Amino acid sequence: MFLTCERTLRMVPATVDYNGRARPGDFHAGYQQIEGINLGYLQINGTQMFALAQVLSDLFKDIPRATISKKMETLKIKSRRCDLAELRTLKAIHSVPTRAVKCSLISKADLEALCTSCKSLSPRR
């Protein structure tokens, strides 16, 4: 089973206007267990987005990064750079190191496709 549990954190406004009200595009953070590994995510505009750094280091730690990059290219998986507020939130939930200055995100659907595609790969020895 791909998904086993989920926990949501508080709402975090992505952008705030001059009156202090949150604009559309709010996001919230949480944790989701995928293949037995607890990954942090951001829910942005209705889409769960996972930090690519955490996915590579925790979920695909036994597969060379070049192999994962080729799989992503073959599957036409695009990552997107997170903004400063998203990066700070990912740091707060320990999905990226506190020293990180940038982070890429991939969607849950893309992560599922990548997991399915990588199941047949053997770990490096």
Side-chain angles (χ1 to χ4, degrees):
M1 187 166 151
F2 187 77
L3 306 174
T4 55
C5 73
E6 184 174 348
R7 187 175 78 195
T8 303
L9 300 174
R10 63 184 174 83
M11 292 291 289
V12 179
T15 55
V16 177
D17 65 15
Y18 290 109
N19 297 323
R21 293 181 301 238
R23 294 183 193 165
D26 287 350
F27 63 90
H28 70 271
Y31 296 97
Q32 185 147 10
Q33 197 170 70
I34 298 176
E35 302 207 4
I37 296 172
N38 207 26
L39 297 177
Y41 70 87
L42 298 177
Q43 181 97 11
I44 304 170
N45 298 327
T47 304
Q48 279 187 342
M49 303 292 285
F50 293 86
L52 188 56
Q54 185 181 31
V55 168
L56 293 173
S57 67
D58 294 355
L59 195 59
F60 298 126
K61 65 182 171 197
D62 295 326
I63 302 172
R65 289 186 184 214
T67 303
I68 298 296
S69 294
K70 286 181 182 178
K71 285 282 186 187
M72 288 177 66
E73 191 175 310
T74 302
L75 295 169
K76 295 182 169 71
I77 294 174
K78 300 284 186 196
S79 61
R80 83 157 182 87
R81 191 67 56 92
C82 63
D83 64 25
L84 186 58
E86 294 164 348
L87 179 62
R88 287 179 178 158
T89 303
L90 289 168
K91 287 179 181 183
I93 65 171
H94 306 290
S95 288
V96 296
T98 55
R99 67 185 181 279
V101 294
K102 60 185 176 179
C103 179
S104 295
L105 301 170
I106 63 170
S107 70
K108 180 181 173 184
D110 287 342
L111 179 57
E112 289 174 343
L114 191 59
C115 284
T116 301
S117 179
C118 291
K119 280 200 187 286
S120 62
L121 298 176
S122 61
R124 65 180 134 174
R125 299 200 157 118

